[in-house]
Amino acid sequence: MDRVYIKCCSAFSSAAANWNEAYQVALEMGDSTMQLATARLEELLRVERAFEEAAAQGAMRIVTMDPNAPRSVPKELLCYRDMNIFYRVLPDGRSGRNIVATLRGVLQSRSASLTVPLTSLLMYRGIPVLAQALAPFGTEPIKIYGDGAESDPEVAAEVEIIADALRTPLPDQVLCEVYRSLDGRMYVTNTNITTIALDDSMLIGSPLKRPEMLALCPCVTATCEDTLSVLHNAVVMEALWRVLDAAVDQQCRRLSDTLHFYGVNLCLLGGVLDAFAERYGDAADDVQRFTEVVAIEMIARTIKQEFYAEVQAKRLGVDEVGVNTCYARHLRAALHSEHRERFSQLVLRKYAIDNGSGHADGLLRVLLDVRRDRCSAIVERVSWLIGACSAPSADGAESRRTVAWAFLVAGRITPCLCDPKLMCSLEPLYRSWRTGEAHCFACCYPLQVKVAMWQGRVGDGLNLASTAVEQVTARYGNTSIRAVQAQRTFMKLLFTIPSLENVREAYSMATCILEVYKDHAGPITRAKCHIEVGYCLLGASAVMNVVGEAARHFQAAEQLLLLASLRSSNGAWLYLQPSLGLVRCRQLGQQDGPVPLKALVADALYLSRAAAPADYCTKYLWVLGMELAAERHYAESAQILTTAYRMAKRTQRTRLDVDRLHGDTLRVYSDWDPEQYAAYCTAIAEGARVP
């Protein structure tokens, strides 16, 4: 699948919305405090929802074969692209959900160096469409890991760390396609290291044990045999019992959401029912009510699957009358009295329920009763599952109704573990959960450290981070990527608690980390580490005079990024970070720094023309312009701030205070020459367009 996506990325356009960049910037937002982590989650969800709204318009046109649909990809079947979005019509929904789940696993692992393109699975009129934001891979994509590529040691180490973090054993044949993009990021486009097939096969269409289950439930092991052991967890069973507390019309949705949250595939509803009856067998009324809820869900999902199978096989989505007729026919087959026995047996077969223990007869009676007494609830649930609703007919007659279709989002890549509240609730579990050293090093310790710092338990956080460094180093050695990552975490914590001793220890660790990276990491990873160290030093400048040292790290990062060809529109997000660091050095009093402030102006103007309008670029121009004004370089300041203002006005969905930037620009012109620029300032103040 990734071959066609990579091919389409060569058509990436800087003139269209860069959805992938917006999502990656949100992923890279800081989360050192609970407030920042919450803001990061909100931004991720905002970008993802906006992308889905945009992609849905193209997906619906593709399904209906609208003349204005996205263009098909030459020589590729059922693949389309438009406005930096790649679309692929899939043969079935499960394969699409599995693709999304495998990519989501990379993000759930909180990989230090690998990411994935923004991806969503959309459904419209029963047709699954995978939508992926294009990334700037260029006309000659650089494959750095996978078939046909020389193995990159940094990526190879990260693949093992991801598997450890997710508790997914590496398969005998590792599939992991990684490309280096022109924006400096390394993207996983296809992999089998983040999920476990329930039938122990490599088939992408088979049900999967997903990372959510392994992360949330200690009783689940990383094999394909014990999927339903998650239901032995008291917390999970209590969550299922609470389904009965929901309003009657919300119980099925609550059941589905609960099982999805814990990574339980809905094809296992029979096992869910058995586990509930086993645990709450003494409460016969609750078991009966829960069985009825499960029966409604089974019937609704069976209708959905039968409907989807026909629609997807015959591509009926293009024909509104045809798809509506198909829907009506499957509802009749399920709910009409003459088909009741045959359909009920179909439900039992779908969920692999036999009469070995007498369960089938009891469930069959419930299915028949629910089908007779809760017909409207079943229709409502099916309609919600497939995105259908009743609407007036085209002729406007009230007595005649038709079916209106809406798009559904069937899969997203943002992991639930991005939610800081969930992380805090899991921290006590991870404190007592010992699954193995590798998992503790890659997942448990980092989560515990982060939550401890959020909650103000600084001593606990430092002790955990120090212990992790000692144990990881003892197991993997000083020069391993794993040890370096643990050291970076500890180093950043030490810098956040500024004392002379902490700063000295942290800086000595930074020196060792950079030495290891010289031999085991690429220039971009090394540049990012230099930038990280530089900003940490700036934060500790009140304790030690380290501003000059910070400036040297920013300069080293600039040189590495130049070597990596990131002084470009795609790499501007990273290339501007050391430049911003140098400006911060000037703000902290390093007036005789190694780089004059005016020397940054030419680079800033070049990148403002090359890069697409974005908040990170506007913010840098704003800071640079104000610092130039503070040093009375008014001509350069006015030019930079005017450029920043223009960019802010062109940036879609900007989160910056444009009015404040507007006022700062006005003040600089006024301070420069109030008489000469009085009319110009008045025009700006009145909201006129800056020429």
Side-chain angles (χ1 to χ4, degrees):
M1 191 284 300
D2 74 313
R3 176 186 60 82
V4 186
Y5 171 74
I6 298 299
K7 175 182 176 181
C8 289
C9 284
S10 63
F12 176 86
S13 171
S14 58
N18 192 344
W19 295 106
N20 184 68
E21 177 70 13
Y23 190 76
Q24 302 304 327
V25 169
L27 273 177
E28 292 155 1
M29 288 174 63
D31 62 352
S32 57
T33 66
M34 189 74 169
Q35 292 76 16
L36 289 175
T38 301
R40 175 178 180 266
L41 175 64
E42 291 173 352
E43 181 65 6
L44 284 170
L45 297 180
R46 184 190 71 81
V47 173
E48 195 169 46
R49 300 295 190 273
F51 170 73
E52 290 162 359
E53 290 287 342
Q57 302 306 312
M60 290 189 289
R61 293 190 182 104
I62 289 169
V63 170
T64 58
M65 292 188 179
D66 189 288
N68 296 319
R71 293 171 296 171
S72 60
V73 179
K75 301 180 181 179
E76 301 294 346
L77 186 63
L78 300 179
C79 295
Y80 308 83
R81 68 166 182 261
D82 185 46
M83 302 297 289
N84 285 342
I85 301 177
F86 166 71
Y87 302 90
R88 179 165 184 159
V89 178
L90 298 173
D92 59 81
R94 175 174 287 168
S95 61
R97 289 191 296 273
N98 289 353
I99 290 169
V100 173
T102 57
L103 297 179
R104 183 171 62 241
V106 176
L107 299 185
Q108 183 174 313
S109 72
R110 287 185 167 260
S111 171
S113 56
L114 300 181
T115 186
V116 298
L118 175 56
T119 304
S120 294
L121 177 64
L122 307 174
M123 302 286 292
Y124 183 64
R125 292 186 180 177
I127 302 296
V129 181
L130 188 73
Q132 292 186 286
L134 298 184
F137 289 146
T139 55
E140 297 182 3
I142 304 171
K143 190 174 187 178
I144 58 175
Y145 193 83
D147 290 341
E150 292 186 15
S151 183
D152 184 298
E154 183 182 358
V155 177
E158 195 64 31
V159 165
E160 295 182 2
I161 294 171
I162 288 174
D164 287 343
L166 299 176
R167 290 202 302 138
T168 52
L170 287 175
D172 295 335
Q173 291 184 319
V174 172
L175 170 65
C176 191
E177 307 288 329
V178 182
Y179 290 82
R180 187 182 298 283
S181 174
L182 297 179
D183 62 9
R185 300 181 179 97
M186 294 186 287
Y187 289 90
V188 178
T189 57
N190 191 18
T191 186
N192 66 350
I193 66 170
T194 60
T195 51
I196 303 169
L198 296 187
D199 59 359
D200 206 17
S201 75
M202 299 287 287
L203 298 177
I204 192 66
S206 65
L208 298 178
K209 178 184 287 186
R210 293 177 178 163
E212 292 86 348
M213 186 187 294
L214 295 168
L216 297 168
C217 299
C219 55
V220 178
T221 60
T223 62
C224 63
E225 290 86 8
D226 68 339
T227 304
L228 287 178
S229 66
V230 64
L231 299 173
H232 300 156
N233 188 308
V235 174
V236 179
M237 294 310 300
E238 185 178 351
L240 289 173
W241 183 74
R242 289 202 191 102
V243 167
L244 301 176
D245 295 335
V248 173
D249 60 344
Q250 295 295 317
Q251 287 177 343
C252 284
R253 189 181 302 185
R254 181 81 171 267
L255 170 68
S256 174
D257 290 346
T258 301
L259 292 175
H260 279 142
F261 178 79
Y262 288 103
V264 180
N265 197 300
L266 270 294
C267 69
L268 304 172
L269 277 174
V272 172
L273 196 55
D274 291 342
F276 191 91
E278 180 182 341
R279 183 168 184 86
Y280 298 108
D282 295 338
D285 289 343
D286 287 345
V287 172
Q288 178 64 23
R289 290 166 57 207
F290 187 79
T291 303
E292 291 176 0
V293 174
V294 172
I296 293 173
E297 191 70 8
M298 284 180 167
I299 293 172
R301 288 185 177 273
T302 300
I303 297 171
K304 182 195 79 168
Q305 290 163 10
E306 293 294 298
F307 168 70
Y308 276 1
E310 182 173 352
V311 168
Q312 291 161 12
K314 298 179 180 178
R315 292 296 306 277
L316 293 178
V318 67
D319 178 15
E320 184 175 6
V321 174
V323 74
N324 290 352
T325 302
C326 178
Y327 178 40
R329 186 169 61 252
H330 283 286
L331 281 178
R332 177 182 174 82
L335 302 177
H336 199 275
S337 58
E338 67 186 56
H339 303 296
R340 62 180 184 178
E341 288 291 342
R342 185 170 59 187
F343 183 79
S344 297
Q345 291 296 330
L346 174 63
V347 174
L348 295 180
R349 288 198 303 273
K350 286 277 186 184
Y351 291 94
I353 298 172
D354 56 38
N355 211 22
S357 56
H359 290 169
D361 288 342
L363 181 58
L364 182 59
R365 286 192 296 272
V366 175
L367 288 171
L368 293 173
D369 291 344
V370 163
R371 189 173 160 280
R372 182 189 65 237
D373 301 333
R374 304 287 300 279
C375 186
S376 60
I378 293 171
V379 173
E380 182 179 348
R381 181 60 179 160
V382 176
S383 299
W384 189 88
L385 287 172
I386 65 176
C389 63
S390 176
S393 62
D395 57 14
E398 286 295 328
S399 58
R400 299 174 60 187
R401 308 287 290 179
T402 187
V403 179
W405 295 90
F407 78 90
L408 296 175
V409 180
R412 296 185 171 103
I413 61 167
T414 302
C416 60
L417 283 176
C418 284
D419 186 347
K421 293 181 180 178
L422 177 59
M423 292 175 67
C424 289
S425 68
L426 285 176
E427 192 269 340
L429 172 68
Y430 280 26
R431 207 181 302 162
S432 58
W433 185 12
R434 292 293 177 264
T435 53
E437 284 188 338
H439 180 243
C440 286
F441 298 154
C443 177
C444 299
Y445 281 162
L447 183 142
Q448 288 176 267
V449 169
K450 193 173 290 291
V451 171
M453 300 305 290
W454 288 348
Q455 296 176 344
R457 296 184 286 111
V458 176
D460 290 346
L462 285 174
N463 289 336
L464 278 168
S466 176
T467 301
V469 169
E470 292 174 4
Q471 294 182 1
V472 173
T473 302
R475 176 165 178 170
Y476 298 105
N478 286 321
T479 59
S480 70
I481 294 293
R482 294 172 187 259
V484 167
Q485 290 185 5
Q487 289 166 10
R488 282 180 73 173
T489 299
F490 188 34
M491 176 196 73
K492 287 186 285 187
L493 290 185
L494 288 172
F495 273 123
T496 60
I497 309 162
S499 69
L500 196 58
E501 181 181 349
N502 284 350
V503 172
R504 284 175 175 167
E505 183 180 357
Y507 189 64
S508 67
M509 291 179 66
T511 304
C512 297
I513 290 169
L514 288 166
E515 284 297 321
V516 173
Y517 273 153
K518 281 184 180 179
D519 299 323
H520 295 84
I524 294 176
T525 300
R526 290 158 56 198
K528 288 180 178 179
C529 189
H530 276 294
I531 293 169
E532 184 175 270
V533 172
Y535 280 110
C536 285
L537 288 170
L538 289 183
S541 59
V543 177
M544 287 179 64
N545 183 15
V546 288
V547 177
E549 193 62 34
R552 282 188 282 277
H553 278 284
F554 291 130
Q555 285 184 294
E558 274 191 337
Q559 294 303 312
L560 288 167
L561 295 176
L562 276 173
L563 291 174
S565 303
L566 286 188
R567 188 178 180 270
S568 63
S569 59
N570 296 312
W573 71 275
L574 184 56
Y575 188 81
L576 288 176
Q577 290 185 29
S579 299
L580 179 60
L582 290 171
V583 176
R584 298 295 190 197
C585 290
R586 301 284 293 197
Q587 290 177 328
L588 290 173
Q590 190 72 11
Q591 301 297 326
D592 55 346
V595 178
L597 201 60
K598 291 175 68 174
L600 300 174
V601 172
D603 247 1
L605 292 174
Y606 165 75
L607 288 171
S608 70
R609 292 190 297 269
D615 279 351
Y616 66 81
C617 193
T618 303
K619 183 178 178 181
Y620 169 66
L621 293 171
W622 191 352
V623 173
L624 176 59
M626 295 306 293
E627 189 60 21
L628 285 164
E631 297 188 14
R632 299 184 181 278
H633 301 305
Y634 289 117
E636 293 81 2
S637 173
Q639 186 179 17
I640 290 292
L641 287 174
T642 301
T643 303
Y645 182 66
R646 287 173 177 163
M647 179 171 282
K649 297 291 282 185
R650 300 199 321 269
T651 303
Q652 296 180 353
R653 294 176 292 275
T654 181
R655 299 177 71 83
L656 297 178
D657 188 344
V658 180
D659 290 337
R660 184 180 167 195
L661 173 58
H662 179 269
D664 285 345
T665 306
L666 178 64
R667 278 191 293 276
V668 168
Y669 274 103
S670 298
D671 292 344
W672 183 10
D673 192 334
E675 293 184 3
Q676 181 178 354
Y677 291 103
Y680 189 74
C681 292
T682 302
I684 295 176
E686 292 174 354
R689 184 175 181 272
V690 179

